[in-house]
Structures are given as C-alpha cells and as structure tokens.
C-alpha cells in the first residue's frame, strides 16, 4: 500500500520495532520541514525485520537494541541505499542481551551509510556494538560506509566483543578512536575493508 506524507514538520516518528512495518514500495516522504523518519520512543527490536530505503534518511534518536532468544534469534536487516543518521551518543547494539543478527545488505550502487545526524565530528555518535550473544553467521556488513562514531562506551566505529562478524566492502572512517575495535575473542572475517582518518588507527587487533 502506498504511503505519501508532505507538508509536515516531520513525516514519521516510529519506535525501532515498528520500522519494518513500513511498505517496501510506494513511499513518498519529501516536502516536509525535515525529510526524515525519526526512530524514537523505544529502541528495542524484538522481532526480525528489514529496514528499506524510504527515500529519506532514518534519524536515530534512541539507541537501537537488537536481542532475541536462543530459540528465536532476532535479525535486523538493513537494505540497499538506507541512510542511518544518529543523534549524539546513539548507536546500534546487537546481541548484548540475547541471540541476534545484523545484516547490512548494501550493494555497489546503493551503499548503506551510517553517520551523525548533526555535525560530522569524530565521536558524534556511539557506533555499532556487536556482542557475544550474536549468531555469527547472521552478522554481515556489506557495502557500507560508517563514520564519525566511537563516542559513549564504544572504542571504534564498530566495536566487536567475543564475536565473529563478516565485513565485505566496508569503509570505516573518521572514528574518535579506532575504525574497528576488537575485544576478547573477537575474530571477524575481513574482505576489502578500508580505513581513513580514525583517531587511534585502523584496527586495534585485526588478524
């Protein structure tokens, strides 16, 4: 079903768990004071779903937390061309309190971007935290550009704890500390990962 909203201050404000209910086609959300979908008022993703390119960025105001159970892991998929822009200190935390996955499925022509909502300053948002409860095979970041993160408790644009995610054609840039930070028994698979202008360096402990 088509959805068209214009002439508003902000076309949509949704809890994180409701974003995957948006239609995958027929979205028109431009012509507003702020053309964005605000993710606010509840950052828990407790059911698997996909976030699609809505033609406007997602403005992430609250932390997004992705957690499921061993019997029913929750997998959040971010589709090609999606732009996630984060408020100060907001981030994505996957598998911190339950089995989960995070699939970033950009393409060469439609890269997924994760950046600050406001000024492009290193540490402007927390970053992506990937923790030991994730299902490793369901944590894949492909064709993505992630920058200006590493604020709050995370030490890199992507901070991995005791997990083995896969990175394929990913740029990690302008982080406050590391482009990629590994903790504990983290052992990622890295293919065509580029780094630029990260405060402490590319990766603290990459193989």
């Amino acid at each position: 079903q088509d959805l068209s909203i214009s002439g508003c201050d902000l076309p949509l404000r949704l809890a994180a768990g409701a974003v995957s209910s948006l239609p995958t086609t027929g979205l028109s959300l431009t012509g507003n004071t702020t053309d964005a979908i605000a993710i606010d008022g509840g950052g828990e993703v407790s059911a698997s779903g996909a976030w699609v390119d809505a033609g406007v960025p997602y403005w992430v105001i609250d932390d997004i937390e992705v957690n499921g159970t061993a019997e029913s892991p929750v997998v959040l998929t971010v589709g090609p061309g999606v732009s996630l822009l984060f408020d100060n200190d907001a981030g994505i935390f996957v598998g911190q309190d339950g089995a989960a996955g995070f699939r970033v499925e950009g393409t060469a022509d439609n890269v997924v971007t994760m950046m600050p909502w406001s000024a492009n300053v290193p540490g402007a948002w927390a970053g992506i935290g990937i923790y030991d409860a994730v299902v490793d095979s369901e944590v894949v970041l492909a064709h993505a550009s992630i920058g200006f993160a590493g604020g709050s408790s995370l030490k890199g644009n992507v901070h991995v704890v005791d997990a083995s995610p896969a990175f394929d054609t990913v740029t990690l840039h302008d982080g406050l500390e590391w482009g990629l930070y590994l903790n504990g028994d983290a052992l990622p698979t890295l293919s065509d990962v580029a780094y630029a202008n990260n405060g402490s360096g590319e990766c603290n402990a990459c193989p």
Side-chain angles (χ1 to χ4, degrees), residues 8-204:
C8 300
D9 288 340
L10 184 73
L12 287 172
R13 185 181 294 269
L14 300 170
V19 174
S20 60
S21 65
L22 289 171
T24 57
T25 60
L27 277 172
S28 177
L29 303 175
T30 58
N32 303 282
T33 303
T34 300
D35 289 332
I37 297 170
I39 302 176
D40 191 12
E44 183 75 22
V45 177
S46 56
S48 295
W51 294 4
V52 301
D53 182 4
V56 299
Y58 293 93
W59 173 15
V60 182
I61 297 172
D62 287 338
D63 287 341
I64 298 168
E65 299 177 357
V66 186
N67 298 294
T69 65
E71 296 77 18
S72 183
V74 170
V75 179
L76 173 60
T77 300
V78 178
V82 167
S83 175
L84 299 175
L85 304 180
F86 293 80
D87 246 5
N88 294 343
D89 295 330
I92 299 178
F93 301 86
V94 186
Q96 196 168 22
D97 296 313
F102 184 50
R103 303 189 66 88
V104 176
E105 298 182 343
T107 67
D109 294 330
N110 290 285
V111 173
V112 172
T113 58
M114 303 184 200
M115 297 275 285
W117 171 255
S118 53
N120 287 338
V121 176
W125 60 288
I128 301 170
I130 299 170
Y131 296 90
D132 58 339
V134 298
V135 178
D136 287 329
S137 61
E138 293 292 346
V139 185
V140 180
L141 285 75
H143 292 281
S145 179
I146 304 166
F148 298 99
S152 188
S153 61
L154 303 184
K155 295 183 179 295
N157 284 309
V158 182
H159 183 129
V160 182
V161 180
D162 296 328
S164 300
F167 295 79
D168 181 7
T169 318
V170 174
T171 300
L172 303 172
H173 64 93
D174 297 288
L176 181 63
E177 295 189 52
W178 299 93
L180 175 61
Y181 185 85
L182 307 180
N183 189 29
D185 293 326
L187 188 62
T189 300
L190 306 175
S191 175
D192 194 18
V193 176
Y195 304 89
N197 304 320
N198 296 291
S200 297
E202 296 181 351
C203 177
N204 68 310

